[in-house]
Structures are given as C-alpha cells and as structure tokens.
Amino acid sequence: MTRYVFPLGFAFLAGSLLLWRRAYGWVITKSIFREGIYVLGAGEYARSVVQVIESRKDLGMEVRGWEGILSTKEERLQGATQTIARLNTMPQLINRIIVAMEDRRGELPVRELLALRLRGVPVEEAGSFLERLSGTIQLDGLRPSSFLFSEGFRIKPSQQLTRRLVSFLVAAIGLLLFLPFFPLVVLAMCVASKGPIFFRQTRVGLGGKNFTVYKFRSMVQDAEAGGAKWAQQNDPRVTGFGRFMRKTRVDEIPQLWNVLRGDMGLVGPRPERPEFVPWLSEQLPYYDLRHMIRPGLTGWAQVRFKYGATLEDSREKLQYDLYYVKHMSLGLDLLIMFETIKTILRRRGAQ
C-alpha cells in the first residue's frame, strides 16, 4: 500500500492546485471581490497607471474612477477636490486611492485626502505602487528625494561582507566542479575556430573602476576589429560552438575567477563596457547608481528582461537594476539564482 502513497499524494496536490487556480480565477472576475481603485490624477502618468491595472486582471483590482485628461492646473485641482469630497461621503465604493499626479504642488487636495485616509482608505503614491507591481523603479518622475527618504538604498558593510564570503565560496566550488570538463571545452573550441581560448574585455565595476572580465571565446577571432558594439540577435560573429556556450552560459564560467578576485559578485547589475558607460550616464538619469555595488554574474534585470542592445533596452534594464540596489537582500539573491537556473535550463536570454 505504501508504494501508492507518492502517486496518490502527487495527484491530490496537482488536483488541489488546479482547483485553487480555477477558483481564484473565478473569484477575481466578480466585481464584489475586486479591490476598488481610484486613480487620482489628470494626465498621461495617471492614464499609464490605469492601463497597467486594467491589463493585469490577476491583481484582483478594478479602476472605479480617475480624472481623465484635464489641461489646466485649476481644472485638475477643482476636479480632484470635488472627487475626494464625494468619495468621503461613500468610501465603501473605493478600497484604495493611487495618487498619480505629475506635479503635486498646488494640485493635491491634502485635507480631503487626509480625511479619507483617517476613515480607513489606504492612499498610495503611484511610483511605489508601480514599483511593487512591476519589480522596477520607474525612471519617469523619479526625483532625488526618492533616494533621500526611501527605506532602501542602504549599503551595509556587514551585508556586503556576507555576500562577498558567499560569492567566494560558491565561485571556488564552481571552478573545482568544472575542472574535469575544461579539456573538453577547450577541444571543442579549437575544432570550432582558430584563436585564443579566453576572451578578455574591460568592464566597469564597483565605484566606476575598470577591471578585466574573462570569458570563453564564443566569437570568431578579431570579431571587434571595427570597434565595440553590442551583441545582436543571431550575431554572425558567434561560432557554432560559441552559440551553444552562450545558450548554456558555459562561456560565463571563467568569470568565476573574477568573483574570486573580488571584481564581481554572484548577483548584481551586469558590468557594462567603458565605451558605453559615459553615453549611457548622459542619456539615462541615475545610471551611475549601478556602481554602488559589485556587478554580478547574473542579476534582477537578466532574469526579468531580455538581452538589451538599444538605449531603450538599457533604460528598461536600469529600472530593474535600481530596484535590486534598493531592495538588495539574501532572499532576493536566492530568487535571482533560482530564476537564473530556470533561464539556463530553458536556454533563453542569450544572443
């Protein structure tokens, strides 16, 4: 009888999960069970918040009102004041207010909002709401005060020491485990194309200092003789075996030596090339905040976003990197490592 325990348990668990997902999907479609949201704002920023909520049916939220697009400051202030005053008379229709004003000076009905807040209706700033929802820090509307008064962005020496020790031990173990496979990789690379085994490249690390990163060469020799450029989809410079190494991340293994040396950590923003950093720093606000911590073999942007090869992609990745720097913790590192393993097994993300 005991031999049937595992299959019966597995069948029961799988059935329970499917039943729960069906039940949850049915519940959140009913208006009575959905959280009523009022988006306080009268511009494109407020519209974007409304669109995010309406596109995510799984959130269990329903937008029950917002100002629309109003042109003048007086119209926006009058509309917001009248709306909040009306909500104070019937707060049961709204469970949460999201403040999505592009400029709150002279437009935010503080007294009316406070009265509603004291009646038990949560009031949340749109930036914090979108950050929690998307796992990014939105660059639009981001101000220096967001860093000055935020709970995150605290680089604790004890935390950095722990991360350094863990990275060192994991890198040492990883290199030892890979050692028996090293001759096979070298042989396959020699058969695929002529050239050196290792590829050396300058990257920008902690504090904006340059260091040399090591990888197995996955491109043809002298692939960048014409100058530095980002990798592309189906890059013709990549060799056949190099493409396999990139998909399986074997080409990244020599970077464990960089981790041992302290140039990098296991988790953190991916290090960028010095040829691109000045330009990206000029185009993207707060880009240099990525250099507050050691770069990593993998990062939050790598497991949540595709490979970036444009300025817009770099902007999107920066929003993930800033989120990681703000919320950096052992739990988040473990989640990123788990997602990285899933990405490698599915052979996604590499160029």
Side-chain angles (χ1 to χ4, degrees), residues 214-245:
Y214 298 91
K215 303 172 71 173
F216 283 125
R217 182 179 56 83
S218 58
M219 292 185 175
V220 296
Q221 192 173 6
D222 299 327
E224 294 193 334
K229 62 179 180 178
W230 278 317
Q232 305 170 359
Q233 188 72 28
N234 299 320
D235 200 319
R237 299 173 299 168
V238 180
T239 65
F241 184 66
R243 201 171 305 280
F244 167 79
M245 288 197 297

Side-chain angles (χ1 to χ4, degrees), residues 61-75:
M61 296 179 175
E62 182 178 68
V63 178
R64 293 179 181 168
W66 71 294
E67 312 302 313
I69 303 295
L70 300 176
S71 57
T72 67
K73 183 176 182 178
E74 290 73 20
E75 286 179 337

Side-chain angles (χ1 to χ4, degrees), residues 235-299:
D235 200 319
R237 299 173 299 168
V238 180
T239 65
F241 184 66
R243 201 171 305 280
F244 167 79
M245 288 197 297
R246 289 191 169 202
K247 287 293 184 182
T248 57
R249 303 304 196 278
V250 171
D251 65 317
E252 308 280 356
I253 289 178
Q255 291 181 52
L256 292 174
W257 175 247
N258 289 110
V259 177
L260 283 179
R261 292 178 47 176
D263 299 324
M264 301 172 62
L266 288 178
V267 179
R270 286 293 292 166
E272 189 53 86
R273 302 176 64 175
E275 294 89 344
F276 300 131
V277 167
W279 175 63
L280 291 172
S281 299
E282 181 181 343
Q283 298 294 323
L284 303 177
Y286 309 109
Y287 184 83
D288 288 338
L289 290 179
R290 299 172 77 254
H291 304 142
M292 291 174 60
I293 60 175
R294 284 185 177 88
L297 285 175
T298 185

Side-chain angles (χ1 to χ4, degrees), residues 50-71:
V50 172
Q51 291 173 343
V52 168
I53 296 174
E54 290 180 343
S55 66
R56 292 283 303 275
K57 301 299 183 183
D58 59 303
L59 297 175
M61 296 179 175
E62 182 178 68
V63 178
R64 293 179 181 168
W66 71 294
E67 312 302 313
I69 303 295
L70 300 176
S71 57

Side-chain angles (χ1 to χ4, degrees), residues 1-15:
M1 185 66 183
T2 56
R3 61 181 177 176
Y4 298 111
V5 171
F6 178 76
L8 287 174
F10 179 80
F12 175 77
L13 180 61

Side-chain angles (χ1 to χ4, degrees), residues 169-243:
L169 290 174
V170 173
I173 294 172
L175 286 173
L176 287 175
L177 292 176
F178 178 74
L179 198 58
F181 302 97
F182 180 77
L184 299 178
V185 173
V186 171
L187 178 61
M189 291 178 62
C190 292
V191 172
S193 67
K194 295 180 179 180
I197 301 301
F198 295 106
F199 176 70
R200 298 171 177 83
Q201 195 174 67
T202 303
R203 298 291 180 98
V204 180
L206 178 65
K209 297 179 180 179
N210 292 350
F211 69 97
T212 301
V213 71
Y214 298 91
K215 303 172 71 173
F216 283 125
R217 182 179 56 83
S218 58
M219 292 185 175
V220 296
Q221 192 173 6
D222 299 327
E224 294 193 334
K229 62 179 180 178
W230 278 317
Q232 305 170 359
Q233 188 72 28
N234 299 320
D235 200 319
R237 299 173 299 168
V238 180
T239 65
F241 184 66
R243 201 171 305 280

